[in-house]
Amino acid sequence: MTSGNTGSESKGTAQLTAAMVLSGTLGVFVVESGASPFNVVFFRVLFGALALGTYVVSRGWLRDHGFTPRTLGLAVLGGVFIVFNWVFLFQSYENTSISVATVVYHTQPFYVVLLGALLFRERLTAAKVGWIVVAFAGLILVSGVRPSDFTSGGTYLTGVGQALLAALLYGLSTLVTKRITGVRPHLIALVQVVVGIPLLLPFADFGAMGGTGADWGWLVGLGVVHTGLMYVLMYAAYAQLPTAKIAVLAFTYPAVAMGMDWLVYGHHIGLVQALGVPLIVTASLRVTLARPRAAAPVRGTVGHAPEAASRPATPTACEA
């Protein structure tokens, strides 16, 4: 490896680590804002669209954007999945905890594999099936769900289900976005957050925002920091890092999220729950890093695309 490549990878490592650390603080911003999940996501996409839009315009990327009617439609559909993925994840924070919701949410890679096999007939090996079984065994431990939760009608079980649904929606968004080529990921992400503005407008309760006061800072931070800045850092890193390193660094996010949940709110998972974390982490890495069979490039799709333009807006790292 040349010194130039080493320096580029070191920079990418620092950028992705910073992005994942920021992502790990997201739960605190959501809870501290005091707003409902629908309001939180509405203002996240609103401020996020302003931040990402400003960056994209400043780079001149709206010219020769590369969208076709088909890829723009795919970006819009991915945006629908992403926006409601955030709503369900933030609802899960309320009903479980940031720690439990985040770890359960990190079953995303397994949904990508299963949905790819179901919807697009992607190859599903016995090894991947085995690791998915291991991951869901870990999920059962981490969730901490007891038989009594199924009969008591409590909100905890609902919260676990919301985190799983959020992961499913993220997986759908990933599969859709992977089929967009020739477009910079920043532009795909911009379309996705812009879509969220009219989509969530009917669900937003502006009357409840009257007494928000200084808590607006948390909402602005979710848009500017956790959407604008975080996405810019991630996409810059993806262009410089191998998939293996991206997959490993992605677990900075749940580690920081669990740490913040403990430091700020005193929440922590129990010993039995903790036993499930390494199962999910190990299985996720094995599934993510499984080498796919080489495929021939599709003619006329990426020959003229800018560098890293085919990177998906919902890539290997599971950002919230």
Side-chain angles (χ1 to χ4, degrees):
M1 182 179 294
T2 66
S3 59
N5 289 338
T6 301
S8 177
E9 186 167 328
S10 297
K11 180 180 178 181
T13 299
Q15 289 170 327
L16 187 55
T17 300
M20 292 297 100
V21 169
L22 289 176
S23 192
T25 66
L26 180 140
V28 173
F29 277 66
V30 171
V31 173
E32 291 301 309
S33 73
S36 69
F38 276 109
N39 280 0
V40 169
V41 179
F42 175 80
F43 287 108
R44 180 183 186 180
V45 297
L46 177 63
F47 294 126
L50 292 172
L52 276 175
T54 300
Y55 180 77
V56 165
V57 169
S58 70
R59 299 300 297 267
W61 288 341
L62 287 181
R63 300 187 299 272
D64 301 322
H65 50 74
F67 277 118
T68 65
R70 174 183 174 276
T71 56
L72 182 59
L74 288 173
V76 169
L77 179 59
V80 174
F81 292 140
I82 277 292
V83 166
F84 283 105
N85 140 78
W86 287 338
V87 170
F88 283 112
L89 178 62
F90 297 168
Q91 288 176 333
S92 181
Y93 290 162
E94 293 183 349
N95 293 323
T96 57
S97 67
I98 294 171
S99 297
V100 171
T102 301
V103 176
V104 171
Y105 183 61
H106 267 71
T107 55
Q108 300 156 348
F110 314 111
Y111 284 114
V112 174
V113 172
L114 292 172
L115 289 168
L118 180 64
L119 300 177
F120 302 107
R121 297 184 179 179
E122 294 179 357
R123 186 166 177 263
L124 183 60
T125 65
K128 284 186 177 181
V129 172
W131 285 115
I132 289 171
V133 171
V134 170
F136 280 93
L139 170 65
I140 292 171
L141 292 174
V142 168
S143 68
V145 173
R146 295 164 295 184
S148 59
D149 291 321
F150 291 92
T151 58
S152 64
T155 58
Y156 186 83
L157 184 61
T158 300
V160 172
Q162 288 166 335
L164 285 171
L165 183 54
L168 175 63
L169 290 171
Y170 185 96
L172 287 168
S173 180
T174 299
L175 288 173
V176 168
T177 309
K178 281 170 62 177
R179 281 153 178 78
I180 301 175
T181 57
V183 181
R184 289 185 180 275
H186 309 75
L187 291 171
I188 300 172
L190 178 59
V191 169
Q192 291 177 338
V193 291
V194 168
V195 163
I197 298 174
L199 190 64
L200 292 175
L201 189 58
F203 303 100
D205 182 6
F206 298 111
M209 304 301 294
T212 301
D215 291 336
W216 277 105
W218 299 105
L219 295 173
V220 173
L222 284 167
V224 175
V225 176
H226 292 94
T227 307
L229 176 60
M230 189 180 77
Y231 276 39
V232 168
L233 287 171
M234 283 194 304
Y235 297 145
Y238 293 152
Q240 304 172 79
L241 296 176
T243 300
K245 182 160 282 190
I246 293 173
V248 172
L249 290 175
F251 286 96
T252 305
Y253 160 35
V256 172
M258 294 170 71
M260 293 298 294
D261 199 20
W262 174 66
L263 286 172
V264 179
Y265 303 112
H267 297 160
H268 60 84
I269 62 177
L271 178 60
V272 174
Q273 290 175 293
L275 294 175
V277 175
L279 296 180
I280 294 176
V281 170
T282 303
S284 178
L285 289 173
R286 294 303 295 263
V287 168
T288 301
L289 300 180
R291 291 185 177 274
R293 290 181 174 179
V298 180
R299 293 179 59 188
T301 55
V302 296
H304 63 283
E307 182 181 0
S310 297
R311 295 277 186 164
T314 50
T316 307
C318 301
E319 78 275 6

